Amino acid sequence: MKLTAITTGLMSALALCSFTAHAGPQAQAVCAYHHTLGDDAIMMFGKSGQAMWHDFFGNKLTDSFSTYQTLREHPQTSCDNQADGSAYWAPSLRLPDGEVVTPAYQKTYYQANSVDKYPLHPFPAGLELLAGDHHGTAPSSRISFLCANGNGYTHNAGEVCGLRKAGDAVQLNIGIAFPNCWDGVNLKPAHGHSNATYDNSGKCPANFPVKIPTVNMNIAYVLPQITSLDTSKVELSLDPTMHGDQREEHWGSIYTAHADFMNGWTEDAAHFMTELCMNNNMDCGTNVPWGYSKAENTWVSSDNPTEVNATPDTLKIQDNWQNGGRTKHPETMTLVKFRIPHLPAGMDTTLFKYRIRIYGGKVEKNGADQIFFYPTNNDWNAKTVTWNTRPTVSYSSDASLYLNYSREYRYVDVDKAVRKALAAGKTEISWYIGGDRQGNTYEFNPASSRESLILMLNGFQGVKEI
């Protein structure tokens, strides 16, 4: 069964009509259009102004000299997820009347299938991918077109787009699916040599053995200046003929649609997307973090005050503050300690938030209750700590979590407490997780489990899908 990390809300026509129905896990990023240049850092590196006109999304400084290093050194992005400093680009589009238009935004779905049998590997730092064919003359199964008022995605040109449902504009989407099997050697494709290909029923071929997420890029053109658009008459930019510094422009049919992707996700984000999300058959949505750290964790109990739980299979919580008060009853608490992921330099840190992701739930099926995260010091070690040697606890909580018996991923906002710790010069932070004070029992999976237990730093700024 596929899990989800986000609440499903109203979705735009683009989201509703991603070019194939996808049953596997996925993540997503929406990136506003940012700039247009005659640059291509993958196939024409360093040759500024000599490539076809490209529309750029994502990293705001992408040009002909861009590399993974420059993307990460200057990670400012037009994408909603601030961890995505990737560069995305595609050829400029010309309408039948000769007007060259810019896209409104692009929405990329990072997708996978058959992960139980063929799990994903993270995008390697510096990976660059190509999709589509700028010499294309016929339909491709990797390229799709959508009129927002029409019948869904098609591989064929010729549909006439009318006004979309809102009646305010014609909307044309172009979908481009990138290869998802990397050769494991070449980070960059070259003329006449591809560094990636497509899977076959989820399995990668022997000469391209490294399975990575499929980058499904959906470009949205929102055109209020027209009332209809014959997609067979749309043109896309091609490489110019250069006469010294002067460009002689060339244009091709919509079948020349293609795109470029230069990975600029943080390394933590790339690992989280695959290892802590999609390989668990989980939809990460926009919940891929900039950075994260796994917990050091254990549990201690007054029932067994000298017991050490150095490598717990389950983290346990139970207390009862009724009928005489907390100290009159057995008490079991979980201890967690995290390295604090650094806030990014050069970014708007008000867009970021620290949260704990924890998997589990209440044992009793008697409704939902609240558990508490109590601050403590970092002077303990999971290999040696017991109830008798536990660090001091303040029963004034930093955060709480309202939950029932469903075993699922839970998210706890600890942003204020973590920023306070950072301001005090701390690099780690610890909490006790205490119970609902009513005697109910709670169980969670430890950091060593497949679901893990992490402190995550997410950055998000909404991008309108107009």
Side-chain angles (χ1 to χ4, degrees), residues 37-40 44-54 64 238-242 244-249:
L37 291 172
D39 289 1
D40 184 341
M44 299 183 69
F45 183 83
K47 298 181 179 181
S48 301
Q50 298 182 45
M52 67 187 72
W53 293 114
H54 284 116
S64 67
L238 298 177
D239 284 331
T241 300
M242 299 300 297
D245 293 334
Q246 300 300 309
R247 297 169 57 98
E248 179 185 345
E249 304 298 346

Side-chain angles (χ1 to χ4, degrees), residues 207-227:
N207 52 340
F208 294 90
V210 183
K211 186 177 179 182
I212 56 177
T214 298
V215 179
N216 272 339
M217 183 177 173
N218 293 256
I219 306 169
Y221 300 87
V222 180
L223 308 166
Q225 69 271 43
I226 59 175
T227 57

Side-chain angles (χ1 to χ4, degrees), residues 160-280:
V160 177
C161 300
L163 292 173
R164 61 187 183 179
K165 185 176 181 180
D168 60 337
V170 169
Q171 181 175 337
L172 169 66
N173 296 346
I174 299 178
I176 302 121
F178 284 78
N180 66 327
C181 296
W182 176 47
D183 66 12
V185 178
N186 298 288
L187 293 172
K188 189 180 184 79
H191 290 284
H193 176 78
S194 177
N195 64 340
T197 190
Y198 295 89
D199 72 40
N200 183 1
S201 299
K203 182 179 181 181
C204 287
N207 52 340
F208 294 90
V210 183
K211 186 177 179 182
I212 56 177
T214 298
V215 179
N216 272 339
M217 183 177 173
N218 293 256
I219 306 169
Y221 300 87
V222 180
L223 308 166
Q225 69 271 43
I226 59 175
T227 57
S228 67
L229 178 64
D230 185 344
T231 57
S232 68
K233 297 180 180 179
V234 166
E235 293 181 306
L236 297 170
S237 177
L238 298 177
D239 284 331
T241 300
M242 299 300 297
H243 304 284
D245 293 334
Q246 300 300 309
R247 297 169 57 98
E248 179 185 345
E249 304 298 346
H250 302 291
W251 297 83
S253 79
I254 200 169
Y255 288 134
T256 63
H258 61 282
D260 299 54
F261 168 74
M262 182 179 289
N263 172 38
W265 288 91
T266 67
E267 290 193 42
D268 271 3
H271 280 82
F272 178 95
M273 185 189 296
T274 54
E275 296 171 358
L276 293 179
C277 186
M278 294 169 71
N279 281 344
N280 289 349

Side-chain angles (χ1 to χ4, degrees), residues 398-414:
D398 279 343
S400 60
L401 175 62
Y402 190 72
L403 71 168
N404 60 11
Y405 60 85
S406 296
R407 293 193 62 78
E408 60 187 57
Y409 289 98
R410 319 279 184 167
Y411 296 86
V412 185
D413 183 352
V414 291

Side-chain angles (χ1 to χ4, degrees), residues 9-28:
L10 296 175
M11 302 175 73
S12 69
L14 181 62
L16 287 170
C17 303
S18 93
F19 45 98
T20 54
H22 184 73
Q26 64 183 15
Q28 66 192 52

